[in-house]
Coordinates of all heavy atoms in Angstrom, one line a residue:
K64 N -1.6 19.6 -80.3 CA -1.0 18.3 -80.6 C -1.1 18.0 -82.1 O -0.1 17.8 -82.8 CB -1.5 17.2 -79.8 CG -0.8 15.9 -80.1 CD -1.2 14.8 -79.2 CE -0.5 13.5 -79.5 NZ -0.9 12.4 -78.7
P65 N -2.3 18.1 -82.8 CA -2.3 17.8 -84.2 C -1.6 18.9 -85.0 O -0.9 18.5 -86.1 CB -3.8 17.9 -84.6 CG -4.5 17.9 -83.3 CD -3.6 18.3 -82.2
A66 N -1.6 20.1 -84.6 CA -0.9 21.2 -85.3 C 0.7 21.0 -85.3 O 1.4 21.1 -86.3 CB -1.2 22.6 -84.8
V67 N 1.2 20.6 -84.1 CA 2.6 20.3 -83.9 C 3.0 19.1 -84.8 O 4.0 19.1 -85.5 CB 3.0 20.2 -82.5 CG1 4.4 19.7 -82.3 CG2 2.8 21.5 -81.7
E68 N 2.2 18.1 -84.7 CA 2.5 16.9 -85.5 C 2.5 17.1 -87.0 O 3.4 16.6 -87.7 CB 1.6 15.7 -85.1 CG 1.8 15.2 -83.7 CD 0.8 14.1 -83.2 OE1 -0.2 14.0 -83.9 OE2 1.1 13.4 -82.3
A69 N 1.5 17.9 -87.4 CA 1.5 18.2 -88.9 C 2.7 19.1 -89.3 O 3.2 18.9 -90.3 CB 0.2 19.0 -89.2
T70 N 3.1 20.0 -88.4 CA 4.2 20.9 -88.7 C 5.5 20.0 -88.8 O 6.3 20.2 -89.7 CB 4.4 22.0 -87.6 OG1 3.2 22.7 -87.5 CG2 5.6 22.8 -87.9
L71 N 5.7 19.1 -87.9 CA 6.8 18.3 -87.9 C 6.9 17.4 -89.1 O 7.9 17.2 -89.8 CB 6.9 17.4 -86.6 CG 7.2 18.2 -85.3 CD1 7.1 17.3 -84.1 CD2 8.6 18.9 -85.4
A72 N 5.7 16.9 -89.6 CA 5.6 16.1 -90.8 C 6.0 16.9 -92.0 O 6.7 16.4 -92.9 CB 4.2 15.5 -90.9
V73 N 5.5 18.1 -92.1 CA 5.7 18.9 -93.3 C 7.2 19.3 -93.3 O 7.9 19.2 -94.4 CB 4.9 20.2 -93.3 CG1 5.3 21.2 -94.3 CG2 3.4 19.8 -93.5
L74 N 7.8 19.6 -92.2 CA 9.2 19.9 -92.1 C 10.1 18.7 -92.5 O 11.1 18.8 -93.2 CB 9.6 20.4 -90.7 CG 9.1 21.8 -90.3 CD1 9.4 22.1 -88.8 CD2 9.6 22.9 -91.2
G75 N 9.7 17.5 -92.0 CA 10.4 16.3 -92.3 C 10.4 16.0 -93.8 O 11.4 15.6 -94.4
E76 N 9.2 16.2 -94.4 CA 9.1 15.9 -95.9 C 9.9 16.9 -96.7 O 10.6 16.5 -97.6 CB 7.6 16.1 -96.3 CG 6.7 14.9 -95.8 CD 5.2 15.2 -96.1 OE1 4.9 16.1 -96.8 OE2 4.4 14.4 -95.5
A77 N 9.9 18.2 -96.3 CA 10.7 19.2 -97.0 C 12.2 18.9 -96.9 O 12.9 19.0 -97.9 CB 10.4 20.6 -96.5
L78 N 12.6 18.5 -95.7 CA 14.0 18.2 -95.6 C 14.4 16.9 -96.3 O 15.5 16.9 -96.9 CB 14.4 18.1 -94.1 CG 14.4 19.3 -93.3 CD1 14.5 19.0 -91.8 CD2 15.4 20.3 -93.8
S79 N 13.5 16.0 -96.4 CA 13.8 14.7 -97.1 C 13.9 15.0 -98.6 O 14.6 14.3 -99.3 CB 12.7 13.7 -96.9 OG 12.8 13.2 -95.6
E80 N 13.2 16.0 -99.1 CA 13.2 16.4 -100.5 C 14.5 17.2 -100.8 O 14.8 17.5 -102.0 CB 12.0 17.2 -100.9 CG 10.7 16.5 -100.8 CD 9.5 17.4 -101.0 OE1 9.7 18.6 -101.1 OE2 8.4 16.9 -100.9
G81 N 15.3 17.5 -99.8 CA 16.5 18.3 -99.9 C 16.3 19.8 -100.0 O 17.1 20.5 -100.4
R82 N 15.1 20.2 -99.6 CA 14.8 21.7 -99.6 C 15.4 22.4 -98.5 O 15.5 21.9 -97.4 CB 13.3 21.9 -99.6 CG 12.5 21.3 -100.8 CD 11.1 21.5 -100.7 NE 10.8 22.9 -100.9 CZ 9.6 23.5 -100.8 NH1 8.6 22.7 -100.7 NH2 9.4 24.7 -101.0
D83 N 15.9 23.6 -98.8 CA 16.4 24.5 -97.7 C 15.2 25.2 -97.1 O 14.2 25.4 -97.7 CB 17.3 25.6 -98.3 CG 18.6 25.0 -98.9 OD1 18.9 23.8 -98.6 OD2 19.2 25.7 -99.7
L84 N 15.3 25.4 -95.8 CA 14.2 26.1 -95.0 C 14.7 27.4 -94.5 O 15.8 27.6 -94.1 CB 13.8 25.2 -93.8 CG 13.4 23.7 -94.1 CD1 13.2 23.0 -92.8 CD2 12.2 23.7 -95.0
N85 N 13.8 28.4 -94.6 CA 14.1 29.7 -94.0 C 12.9 30.0 -93.1 O 11.9 30.5 -93.5 CB 14.3 30.8 -95.1 CG 14.8 32.1 -94.6 OD1 15.0 32.2 -93.4 ND2 15.0 33.0 -95.5
L86 N 13.1 29.7 -91.8 CA 12.0 29.8 -90.9 C 12.4 30.7 -89.6 O 12.8 30.1 -88.6 CB 11.6 28.4 -90.4 CG 11.2 27.4 -91.5 CD1 11.0 26.0 -90.9 CD2 9.9 27.9 -92.1
P87 N 12.2 32.0 -89.7 CA 12.5 32.8 -88.6 C 11.5 32.5 -87.5 O 10.4 32.3 -87.8 CB 12.4 34.2 -89.1 CG 12.2 34.1 -90.6 CD 11.9 32.7 -90.9
P88 N 11.8 32.5 -86.3 CA 13.1 32.8 -85.6 C 14.0 31.6 -85.5 O 15.1 31.7 -84.9 CB 12.7 33.4 -84.3 CG 11.5 32.7 -83.9 CD 10.8 32.5 -85.3
L89 N 13.6 30.4 -86.0 CA 14.4 29.2 -85.9 C 15.7 29.5 -86.7 O 16.8 29.2 -86.1 CB 13.7 28.0 -86.5 CG 14.6 26.8 -86.6 CD1 15.0 26.2 -85.3 CD2 13.8 25.7 -87.4
G90 N 15.7 30.0 -87.9 CA 16.9 30.2 -88.6 C 16.7 29.6 -90.0 O 15.6 29.3 -90.5
K91 N 17.8 29.6 -90.7 CA 17.9 29.1 -92.1 C 18.7 27.8 -92.1 O 19.8 27.7 -91.6 CB 18.6 30.1 -93.0 CG 18.5 29.7 -94.5 CD 19.0 30.9 -95.3 CE 18.8 30.5 -96.8 NZ 19.3 31.6 -97.7
T92 N 18.0 26.7 -92.7 CA 18.7 25.4 -92.8 C 19.1 25.2 -94.2 O 18.4 25.6 -95.1 CB 17.8 24.3 -92.2 OG1 16.7 24.2 -93.1 CG2 17.4 24.5 -90.8
K93 N 20.2 24.4 -94.4 CA 20.6 24.0 -95.7 C 21.0 22.5 -95.6 O 21.7 22.2 -94.7 CB 21.8 24.8 -96.1 CG 22.3 24.4 -97.5 CD 23.4 25.3 -98.0 CE 23.8 24.8 -99.4 NZ 24.9 25.6 -99.9
V94 N 20.5 21.7 -96.5 CA 20.8 20.3 -96.5 C 22.2 20.2 -97.2 O 22.3 20.5 -98.4 CB 19.7 19.5 -97.2 CG1 20.1 18.0 -97.3 CG2 18.4 19.7 -96.5
N95 N 23.2 19.7 -96.4 CA 24.5 19.6 -97.0 C 24.7 18.2 -97.6 O 25.4 18.2 -98.7 CB 25.6 19.8 -95.9 CG 25.7 21.3 -95.6 OD1 25.4 22.1 -96.3 ND2 26.3 21.5 -94.4
N96 N 24.2 17.2 -97.0 CA 24.5 15.8 -97.5 C 23.4 14.9 -97.2 O 22.8 15.0 -96.1 CB 25.8 15.4 -96.9 CG 26.4 14.1 -97.5 OD1 25.9 13.7 -98.6 ND2 27.4 13.5 -96.9
V97 N 23.0 14.0 -98.0 CA 22.0 13.0 -97.8 C 22.6 11.6 -98.1 O 23.2 11.4 -99.1 CB 20.8 13.3 -98.7 CG1 19.7 12.2 -98.5 CG2 20.2 14.6 -98.5
K98 N 22.4 10.7 -97.1 CA 22.8 9.3 -97.3 C 21.7 8.4 -97.0 O 21.0 8.6 -96.0 CB 24.0 9.0 -96.4 CG 25.3 9.6 -96.7 CD 26.4 9.1 -95.8 CE 27.7 9.8 -96.2 NZ 28.8 9.4 -95.3
D99 N 21.4 7.5 -97.9 CA 20.4 6.5 -97.6 C 21.0 5.3 -97.0 O 21.9 4.7 -97.6 CB 19.7 6.1 -98.9 CG 18.7 7.2 -99.4 OD1 18.1 7.8 -98.6 OD2 18.7 7.4 -100.6
K100 N 20.6 4.9 -95.8 CA 21.1 3.8 -95.0 C 20.0 2.7 -95.1 O 19.0 2.9 -95.7 CB 21.4 4.1 -93.6 CG 22.4 5.2 -93.4 CD 23.8 4.6 -93.6 CE 24.8 5.7 -93.3 NZ 26.2 5.2 -93.2

Side-chain angles (χ1 to χ4, degrees):
K64 185 176 179 181
V67 169
E68 289 176 343
T70 302
L71 292 174
V73 169
L74 291 174
E76 289 172 12
L78 290 171
S79 290
E80 294 169 1
R82 297 182 65 181
D83 295 343
L84 304 177
N85 190 359
L86 303 171
L89 173 66
K91 187 172 184 177
T92 64
K93 181 177 181 177
V94 178
N95 284 341
N96 192 9
V97 179
K98 287 185 181 178
D99 287 320
K100 298 285 185 169

